[in-house]
Amino acid sequence: NADRGGEIDRMRTLYTPTVQRVVMSILPSAPGVVVAGGDRGMTPSGNSGASGFMINGGQERTNEMVLDGVPNRTSYGGHNYGIIPTQESTAEVKVITNAYSAEYGNTTGGVINVTTKSGSNEFHGELYTFFRNTGLNANHFERNRQGLPRTRLVYNTQGGVVTGRIFRDKLFFTGKYHVSQSNDVKSFSGYVPTQKERDGDFTSTLYSQGGVLREVTIYDPFSTTYNAATGKYTRQPISTVSGKNVIPASRINPVAKALWKYIPLPNSTAPLQVKATNYAPTGSAKATKAYLEFMPRIDWNISQKTKLMVREIRTDYKETAVEFYPDSAAEINAGWPFIRANHNAVVDLTHTISPTSVLSIRAGMERYVTGSLELPRTRATPKDLGFGSLFQSQARPAFPVFSYGGSNIGGSNLFAGAGAAAGSYVPDQVNNFDVTWSKFLGKHNIKVGGQVRMERIYIYNGGYDAGQFSFGRGDTQGPDPDVATLAAGDEVASFLFGVGGGSIAVNAAPAQQMFYSTMFVQDDFKLTPKLTVNLGLRWDKTSGLTDRFNAMTGV
């Protein structure tokens, strides 16, 4: 036929040295294949980096990929490939850069066709381990020049593959197990309020004016008055029996009192003169990444004319971050554990009708799940923080978000706050069913087929479903509330008074779906021993986007 491309055979697939043992790293060796992003992102769990290819001038991420005939590309997340095949589970890879056959479609560039290993009458097994370690790495030139040590790197990959027979000449199996683990040391720092500030005492909250340390003045937000003659507002500084800049305990909001048990105290040994970094997390400082893959495959010769193949690949990836507030519901390092899971399954029945005619029926599924769980925020609820029954009835039973203007993780001299937004959970599933009939008829090689594909994407992202509150210096600055200076106001003081802004997110959870169908006929007509004409006709239809439960509105 007239198709053009490159084939990566079993030997090259298995023995080519790559960083993370994925076949995607070998694809650029095929003609016409260009890596659109950084090749360092090609890992079994790096679906985005391992999907960034341009084939024969086509657009990035629009190339079809089939795994044992099953579509492996999902729409969510920028048309990522679901399964990133590892080298030990792959028999061969064929990259079609110019698809002149009507059999191929749903692509602007090329087609990547991956075939997994099948069993045979002979037993074969392999155990492997690959590791990358700091001690084996060379240092960067710049770090070497400055006398800095090598950056830490720990990455381990282990697994095994076994193939063989269950019944000679009839039933065969393939089993593959693969696990990768890595960890990185993280060092975070930031600012948390002192015990005096938590108690409402801001007499030691200082600012620098020309190198001279001065006390910040806290103004009472409830003393604001309007002067009709001047058209301006004014506030009075706090001055009570407890002293200047001391908020009485009776005026501290109950939620503010309840929050501090979730926030660690400063643990810096340096004396605090002005607001600066005064806290670093204790306990584990390692961010971990773990990837697991297993693949069972069965090949059954039902008869001399009929063969059945059943195969599943399952992958699980989990990434855990370092907690800024260890073991606390107030954790602000959001989005962990981050998860990514895949199921790719196929049932393939091939029947030889006659020596010149073959029928193939295939059903498959690719399920790509990505999301971030929310384990810390479920350790406490608005009720635990003293919110009223009305708020509790509208908010999700999880820890709200409190923001004070500081950076999310580390290095800020402003209080970063507490709590994180809700996690997300997005399953994207593609089901396909296709039938292909091939027939040799004289000088004609005729192939007729069709496919039906349904994709469903469920999107849950709760956002600030337990409430979000923000506090700034503006509510306790003065004497003119509209004029901001370093000498007045404090975001924590505003919080203690209970003045600020807030909201509760009520987000929809759409269940989107699309249908895709195609039919084709291809005739490779051999006019002479030296001349073949390829004639093909293909019809594709992609439905509009709908909601499974009819919850979508539009114009």
Side-chain angles (χ1 to χ4, degrees), residues 85-113:
T86 52
Q87 293 171 237
E88 281 71 27
S89 63
T90 303
E92 64 178 15
V93 182
K94 186 176 183 181
V95 183
I96 303 171
T97 54
N98 276 334
Y100 288 104
S101 173
E103 179 181 1
Y104 303 109
N106 201 35
T107 176
T108 67
V111 178
I112 303 169
N113 197 334

Short mmCIF file of all heavy atoms in Angstrom, two decimals, residues 85-113:
data_model
loop_
_atom_site.label_atom_id
_atom_site.label_comp_id
_atom_site.label_asym_id
_atom_site.label_seq_id
_atom_site.Cartn_x
_atom_site.Cartn_y
_atom_site.Cartn_z
N PRO A 85 2.87 3.56 26.93
CA PRO A 85 3.40 2.18 26.96
C PRO A 85 4.86 2.14 27.38
O PRO A 85 5.68 2.94 26.93
CB PRO A 85 3.22 1.70 25.52
CG PRO A 85 2.22 2.64 24.90
CD PRO A 85 2.43 3.95 25.58
N THR A 86 5.18 1.20 28.24
CA THR A 86 6.57 0.97 28.63
C THR A 86 7.20 -0.05 27.68
O THR A 86 6.51 -0.85 27.05
CB THR A 86 6.66 0.48 30.07
OG1 THR A 86 5.78 -0.64 30.25
CG2 THR A 86 6.25 1.57 31.04
N GLN A 87 8.51 -0.01 27.58
CA GLN A 87 9.20 -0.81 26.57
C GLN A 87 9.06 -2.30 26.82
O GLN A 87 8.98 -3.09 25.87
CB GLN A 87 10.68 -0.40 26.52
CG GLN A 87 10.87 1.02 26.00
CD GLN A 87 12.29 1.51 26.14
OE1 GLN A 87 12.52 2.52 26.76
NE2 GLN A 87 13.26 0.80 25.58
N GLU A 88 9.03 -2.70 28.08
CA GLU A 88 9.00 -4.14 28.37
C GLU A 88 7.65 -4.78 28.03
O GLU A 88 7.56 -6.00 27.90
CB GLU A 88 9.32 -4.37 29.85
CG GLU A 88 10.81 -4.30 30.19
CD GLU A 88 11.35 -2.90 30.11
OE1 GLU A 88 10.58 -1.93 30.29
OE2 GLU A 88 12.57 -2.74 29.88
N SER A 89 6.59 -3.99 27.92
CA SER A 89 5.27 -4.55 27.58
C SER A 89 4.95 -4.46 26.11
O SER A 89 3.90 -4.94 25.67
CB SER A 89 4.18 -3.84 28.39
OG SER A 89 4.13 -2.47 28.05
N THR A 90 5.85 -3.86 25.31
CA THR A 90 5.55 -3.58 23.91
C THR A 90 6.31 -4.52 22.98
O THR A 90 7.51 -4.75 23.15
CB THR A 90 5.92 -2.12 23.58
OG1 THR A 90 5.20 -1.25 24.47
CG2 THR A 90 5.56 -1.78 22.14
N ALA A 91 5.57 -5.05 21.99
CA ALA A 91 6.21 -5.90 20.98
C ALA A 91 6.77 -5.07 19.84
O ALA A 91 7.92 -5.23 19.44
CB ALA A 91 5.21 -6.93 20.46
N GLU A 92 5.96 -4.17 19.30
CA GLU A 92 6.44 -3.32 18.21
C GLU A 92 5.59 -2.06 18.13
O GLU A 92 4.46 -2.01 18.65
CB GLU A 92 6.41 -4.05 16.87
CG GLU A 92 5.02 -4.44 16.40
CD GLU A 92 5.05 -5.13 15.04
OE1 GLU A 92 6.13 -5.54 14.60
OE2 GLU A 92 3.98 -5.23 14.42
N VAL A 93 6.15 -1.05 17.49
CA VAL A 93 5.48 0.23 17.29
C VAL A 93 5.60 0.61 15.82
O VAL A 93 6.68 0.52 15.24
CB VAL A 93 6.11 1.35 18.16
CG1 VAL A 93 5.35 2.66 17.97
CG2 VAL A 93 6.14 0.95 19.62
N LYS A 94 4.48 1.00 15.24
CA LYS A 94 4.49 1.46 13.86
C LYS A 94 3.94 2.87 13.82
O LYS A 94 2.86 3.15 14.33
CB LYS A 94 3.64 0.55 12.98
CG LYS A 94 3.72 0.89 11.49
CD LYS A 94 2.95 -0.11 10.64
CE LYS A 94 3.10 0.20 9.16
NZ LYS A 94 2.33 -0.76 8.32
N VAL A 95 4.71 3.78 13.23
CA VAL A 95 4.30 5.17 13.09
C VAL A 95 3.97 5.41 11.63
O VAL A 95 4.83 5.31 10.76
CB VAL A 95 5.41 6.14 13.55
CG1 VAL A 95 4.92 7.58 13.45
CG2 VAL A 95 5.84 5.83 14.97
N ILE A 96 2.71 5.69 11.35
CA ILE A 96 2.25 5.98 9.99
C ILE A 96 2.21 7.49 9.83
O ILE A 96 1.37 8.17 10.44
CB ILE A 96 0.87 5.36 9.73
CG1 ILE A 96 0.91 3.85 9.97
CG2 ILE A 96 0.39 5.66 8.31
CD1 ILE A 96 -0.44 3.19 9.94
N THR A 97 3.12 8.02 9.02
CA THR A 97 3.21 9.46 8.87
C THR A 97 2.34 9.98 7.74
O THR A 97 1.86 11.12 7.79
CB THR A 97 4.67 9.87 8.62
OG1 THR A 97 5.18 9.14 7.50
CG2 THR A 97 5.53 9.57 9.83
N ASN A 98 2.12 9.19 6.72
CA ASN A 98 1.21 9.54 5.62
C ASN A 98 0.22 8.41 5.47
O ASN A 98 0.53 7.36 4.92
CB ASN A 98 1.97 9.75 4.29
CG ASN A 98 2.53 11.15 4.18
OD1 ASN A 98 2.02 12.08 4.78
ND2 ASN A 98 3.60 11.30 3.41
N ALA A 99 -0.98 8.60 6.00
CA ALA A 99 -1.99 7.54 5.96
C ALA A 99 -2.84 7.70 4.69
O ALA A 99 -3.83 8.43 4.67
CB ALA A 99 -2.86 7.60 7.21
N TYR A 100 -2.43 6.99 3.64
CA TYR A 100 -3.19 7.06 2.39
C TYR A 100 -4.33 6.05 2.36
O TYR A 100 -5.14 6.06 1.44
CB TYR A 100 -2.25 6.82 1.20
CG TYR A 100 -1.32 7.99 0.94
CD1 TYR A 100 0.01 7.93 1.29
CD2 TYR A 100 -1.80 9.16 0.35
CE1 TYR A 100 0.87 9.00 1.07
CE2 TYR A 100 -0.96 10.23 0.12
CZ TYR A 100 0.38 10.15 0.48
OH TYR A 100 1.21 11.20 0.25
N SER A 101 -4.39 5.18 3.36
CA SER A 101 -5.49 4.22 3.43
C SER A 101 -6.68 4.84 4.14
O SER A 101 -6.53 5.53 5.15
CB SER A 101 -5.04 2.96 4.18
OG SER A 101 -6.13 2.10 4.39
N ALA A 102 -7.88 4.58 3.62
CA ALA A 102 -9.11 5.11 4.23
C ALA A 102 -9.38 4.46 5.59
O ALA A 102 -10.28 4.88 6.30
CB ALA A 102 -10.29 4.88 3.29
N GLU A 103 -8.62 3.43 5.94
CA GLU A 103 -8.80 2.77 7.22
C GLU A 103 -8.48 3.69 8.38
O GLU A 103 -9.01 3.53 9.48
CB GLU A 103 -7.90 1.53 7.28
CG GLU A 103 -7.96 0.75 8.56
CD GLU A 103 -7.03 -0.44 8.56
OE1 GLU A 103 -6.31 -0.65 7.55
OE2 GLU A 103 -7.01 -1.17 9.58
N TYR A 104 -7.60 4.69 8.14
CA TYR A 104 -7.15 5.56 9.23
C TYR A 104 -7.82 6.92 9.13
O TYR A 104 -8.02 7.47 8.05
CB TYR A 104 -5.63 5.74 9.16
CG TYR A 104 -4.86 4.44 9.24
CD1 TYR A 104 -4.21 3.94 8.12
CD2 TYR A 104 -4.82 3.71 10.41
CE1 TYR A 104 -3.51 2.74 8.19
CE2 TYR A 104 -4.14 2.51 10.48
CZ TYR A 104 -3.48 2.03 9.36
OH TYR A 104 -2.81 0.85 9.43
N GLY A 105 -8.14 7.47 10.31
CA GLY A 105 -8.74 8.79 10.37
C GLY A 105 -8.60 9.37 11.75
O GLY A 105 -7.80 8.92 12.57
N ASN A 106 -9.38 10.42 12.02
CA ASN A 106 -9.38 11.07 13.33
C ASN A 106 -7.99 11.59 13.69
O ASN A 106 -7.55 11.51 14.84
CB ASN A 106 -9.89 10.10 14.40
CG ASN A 106 -10.38 10.81 15.64
OD1 ASN A 106 -10.95 11.90 15.55
ND2 ASN A 106 -10.15 10.22 16.80
N THR A 107 -7.28 12.13 12.71
CA THR A 107 -5.94 12.65 12.93
C THR A 107 -5.64 13.73 11.91
O THR A 107 -6.15 13.68 10.78
CB THR A 107 -4.89 11.54 12.84
OG1 THR A 107 -3.58 12.11 12.96
CG2 THR A 107 -4.98 10.81 11.51
N THR A 108 -4.83 14.73 12.31
CA THR A 108 -4.37 15.74 11.36
C THR A 108 -2.95 15.46 10.90
O THR A 108 -2.44 16.14 10.01
CB THR A 108 -4.41 17.15 11.98
OG1 THR A 108 -3.43 17.22 13.02
CG2 THR A 108 -5.78 17.46 12.55
N GLY A 109 -2.30 14.48 11.55
CA GLY A 109 -0.91 14.21 11.20
C GLY A 109 -0.67 12.75 10.89
O GLY A 109 -0.62 12.33 9.74
N GLY A 110 -0.51 11.93 11.93
CA GLY A 110 -0.18 10.53 11.72
C GLY A 110 -0.91 9.63 12.70
O GLY A 110 -1.75 10.07 13.48
N VAL A 111 -0.53 8.36 12.65
CA VAL A 111 -1.12 7.34 13.50
C VAL A 111 0.01 6.56 14.17
O VAL A 111 0.95 6.12 13.50
CB VAL A 111 -2.02 6.38 12.70
CG1 VAL A 111 -2.59 5.30 13.61
CG2 VAL A 111 -3.14 7.15 12.01
N ILE A 112 -0.08 6.40 15.50
CA ILE A 112 0.88 5.60 16.25
C ILE A 112 0.19 4.30 16.64
O ILE A 112 -0.80 4.30 17.36
CB ILE A 112 1.36 6.35 17.51
CG1 ILE A 112 1.96 7.71 17.14
CG2 ILE A 112 2.37 5.51 18.28
CD1 ILE A 112 2.22 8.61 18.32
N ASN A 113 0.69 3.20 16.13
CA ASN A 113 0.07 1.89 16.33
C ASN A 113 0.99 1.04 17.20
O ASN A 113 2.09 0.66 16.78
CB ASN A 113 -0.18 1.21 14.98
CG ASN A 113 -1.17 0.08 15.08
OD1 ASN A 113 -1.33 -0.52 16.14
ND2 ASN A 113 -1.84 -0.21 13.97
#
